[in-house]
Structures are given as structure tokens and as C-alpha cells.
């Protein structure tokens, strides 16, 4: 039993006319998400990062050589506004993790690229991030993960396909 079971029991007692089963599923997903966030935040902090800065650096790193994207491409990939992207890039540039360079294909714009320090930081952070995620999911067997992953994907596609 988890804490959500207690909440469901209270609602079942107080409102037996309602089927609160969806509340259990969503409550558990929400609580799991909070725990996941806290665990990953610890990993990011160990590298002087937060989720937002990790996200930008990881997006640049996984884009492949030359590890550079336009701000528009970064915003689109990360699904954030251009204003939010500008703020994130400003902070990362101050930390020496990224740099803005003129776009060789369009001298009116610029691209954001990883610095050597940024590359080293994200490589170390992503290594630890994967280790954290591995540790977290080991609470479930491989078989349980194989069942859960497509179910969560189905929920996500339902939200993101519209």
C-alpha cells in the first residue's frame, strides 16, 4: 500500500458514488514524477546544472557534430518559447558552457554551440544522469518495465498527437 491508497480509501468512504480509480492512477503518476524530478535534480546539481540548463546542453550534445543549433531549432526541439531560450542561453554563456557564433549560412543570425567546457560538462552529467535513471528503474523488473513503457507511451501519444 502507498499513500495514494489512503487517499482513495478516504474518498471511497466519503463519496462512494464516485469511481475514484483514475484519481489513483493520476495521483501515483504525479507522485512518481515528483520523486523522479528530485532524484534527477540532485544529479544535475552535482554538475552545476539544473533541468533547464541540462536540457539545452543535452540537446546540443545529441545533435552531433558540430554540436551547434540555431536558437529557433533549439526552441522547437525543446518546445519552449524564444524568450525562454534566450534566457537559458544567456545563463549558459555566462557560465562558459555555450557560445553564440555567427551562422555561416546566414550572417544575419547566430548559432549556439557547446564550448569545450560545455561538452565536458554535459558528457559527465549525462553519464551520471543515465546511472541515476538506471538506479531508479531497477525498482521494477525488466518485464515490468517492458509492460509499463508502452502504456506510458500510449498516454503520451494521446496527449501529444493533437
Amino acid at each position: 500500500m502507498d499513500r495514494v491508497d489512503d487517499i482513495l480509501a478516504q474518498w471511497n468512504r466519503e463519496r462512494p458514488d464516485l469511481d475514484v480509480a483514475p484519481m489513483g492512477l493520476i495521483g501515483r503518476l504525479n507522485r512518481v514524477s515528483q520523486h523522479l524530478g528530485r532524484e534527477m535534480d540532485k544529479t544535475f546539481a552535482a554538475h552545476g546544472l539544473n533541468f533547464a540548463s541540462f536540457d539545452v546542453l543535452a540537446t546540443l550534445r545529441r545533435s552531433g557534430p558540430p554540436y551547434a543549433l540555431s536558437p529557433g531549432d533549439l526552441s522547437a526541439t525543446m518546445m519552449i518559447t524564444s524568450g525562454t531560450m534566450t534566457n537559458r542561453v544567456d545563463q549558459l554563456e555566462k557560465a562558459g558552457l555555450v557560445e553564440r557564433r555567427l551562422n555561416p549560412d546566414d550572417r544575419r543570425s547566430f548559432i549556439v554551440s557547446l564550448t569545450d567546457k560545455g561538452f565536458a560538462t554535459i558528457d559527465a552529467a549525462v553519464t551520471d544522469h543515465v546511472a541515476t535513471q538506471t538506479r531508479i528503474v531497477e525498482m521494477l523488473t525488466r518485464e515490468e518495465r517492458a509492460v509499463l513503457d508502452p502504456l506510458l507511451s500510449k498516454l503520451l501519444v494521446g496527449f501529444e498527437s493533437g
Side-chain angles (χ1 to χ4, degrees):
M1 294 222 1
D2 58 42
R3 291 182 179 172
V4 174
D5 288 318
D6 295 334
I7 293 167
L8 296 176
Q10 291 169 333
W11 278 118
N12 281 325
R13 182 189 69 231
E14 295 299 316
R15 290 294 310 267
D17 58 309
L18 294 177
D19 175 9
V20 295
M23 185 184 293
L25 177 62
I26 292 169
R28 286 184 179 96
L29 286 170
N30 186 44
R31 286 177 182 248
V32 166
S33 177
Q34 291 171 2
H35 286 289
L36 294 174
R38 281 192 292 272
E39 291 299 311
M40 289 183 277
D41 285 346
K42 290 178 201 173
T43 301
F44 301 148
H47 296 276
L49 304 173
N50 57 32
F51 174 80
S53 56
F54 176 88
D55 198 20
V56 174
L57 297 176
T59 300
L60 289 169
R61 176 62 176 92
R62 71 175 185 262
S63 72
Y67 312 108
L69 294 169
S70 72
D73 288 340
L74 273 170
S75 296
T77 300
M78 298 169 59
M79 298 179 288
I80 59 175
T81 66
S82 61
T84 299
M85 178 55 61
T86 298
N87 183 46
R88 289 182 184 183
V89 170
D90 287 347
Q91 297 305 313
L92 290 166
E93 192 172 38
K94 285 178 191 173
L97 300 172
V98 301
E99 63 183 2
R100 288 180 173 101
R101 294 182 297 166
L102 285 176
N103 186 339
D105 298 327
D106 180 0
R107 306 292 277 167
R108 295 169 296 159
S109 65
F110 63 91
I111 57 173
V112 178
S113 62
L114 288 174
T115 62
D116 290 342
K117 179 181 176 185
F119 188 93
T121 298
I122 192 56
D123 261 15
V126 79
T127 298
D128 289 349
H129 179 59
V130 170
T132 296
Q133 291 179 325
T134 299
R135 177 181 50 79
I136 290 168
V137 301
E138 284 178 342
M139 294 179 201
L140 301 172
T141 66
R142 283 188 192 276
E143 294 77 19
E144 289 168 332
R145 292 189 306 250
V147 170
L148 181 59
D149 194 48
L151 293 173
L152 291 173
S153 179
K154 183 177 180 179
L155 275 173
L156 193 57
V157 166
F159 281 108
E160 294 180 348
S161 64

